[in-house]
Amino acid sequence: MTVPTVQLNDGNSIPQLGFGVFLVDPPETERIVTDALEVGYRHIDTAAIYKNEQGVGAAIAKSGIARDELFITTKLWNDDQGTQSAFDAIDRSLEKLGLEYVDLYLIHWPVPSKDRYVEAWKALEQIKESGKARSIGVSNFMVPHLERLAAETDTVPAIDQIELHPYHQQPPVTAYAQEHGIQIEAWGPLGQGKYPLLELPEITSIAEATGKSPAQVVLRWHLQRGFVVFPKSNSRERMAQNFDVFDFELSQEQVASIDALERAGRVGGDPNEG
Ligand code: NAD
């Protein structure tokens, strides 16, 4: 199965489906990422704060998969928003991952109260220049944060990774991103299991009609809306299920019925705080 790729505003491309490792236990990470690579995933989303970059790196090294077939993302943690601290942070992440570069480096949260994300973004511009990250982007940036980067820096982020699932579709940011060529990545694509998304009649009826599982229906909705997704699961069976979403299509009506579930239902942290 070849996962479709999406072209970014810097000319690089990213596999539209990947595997996320938030809350994957560090000691279990090597095994779980090895399973994901065996299932066929080639795009892995980690972060310094997940404390499992080492396990991701060990699985990559063991896999023998060529570096240019992989797409690896990691993120700059909030405490490291600064020029030298960002340079040190990427070096630590690369060492743990056992890599010479990451495909994508993101500022994890804007943390507006600290007011250092513009400085951090300028550091990421230099990190891209150095070749340690092929693409750079942000995460949890809302429209005012993106507008400040546009006003005060030279580079438009390639990516904004935000909480996005049927109850929380983030219309203002997704519209801004589309207008400015920023690719949206949807974190928590299955709502992190924090509300009974997979039991909603709007989802289960489409699952019955298409012969796919509710999770596959929701992931298919993300893909058809143009988002990049990387669902997380420790179970190999679910990893395989989540990867098997390219042999069916939702109708326009089915997509619209999931669009209609929007209710500003955030399940994670508020990017305007902190
Ligand atoms: P998710 O929406 O992927 O949900 C994961 C939950 O769904 C798990 O409990 C899992 O058991 C369950 N699940 C997975 N596949 C299933 C299936 N087929 N059927 C039924 N249940 C299934 O939530 P997530 O892990 O938080 O988000 C995905 C990735 O996004 C993370 O792993 C991480 O890489 C990234 N993320 C980024 C941020 C950020 O601030 N940038 C925040 C959270 C997550």
Side-chain angles (χ1 to χ4, degrees), residues 20-22 45 50 75 108-109 139-140 161 187-193 198 215 230-233 238 241-242:
V21 295
F22 176 48
D45 183 273
Y50 302 169
K75 311 183 190 91
H108 206 142
W109 290 89
S139 178
N140 299 301
Q161 181 181 126
W187 70 249
L190 302 173
Q192 297 190 313
L198 304 180
F230 23 82
K232 174 250 171 184
S233 176
R238 282 180 172 172
Q241 188 192 120
N242 296 344

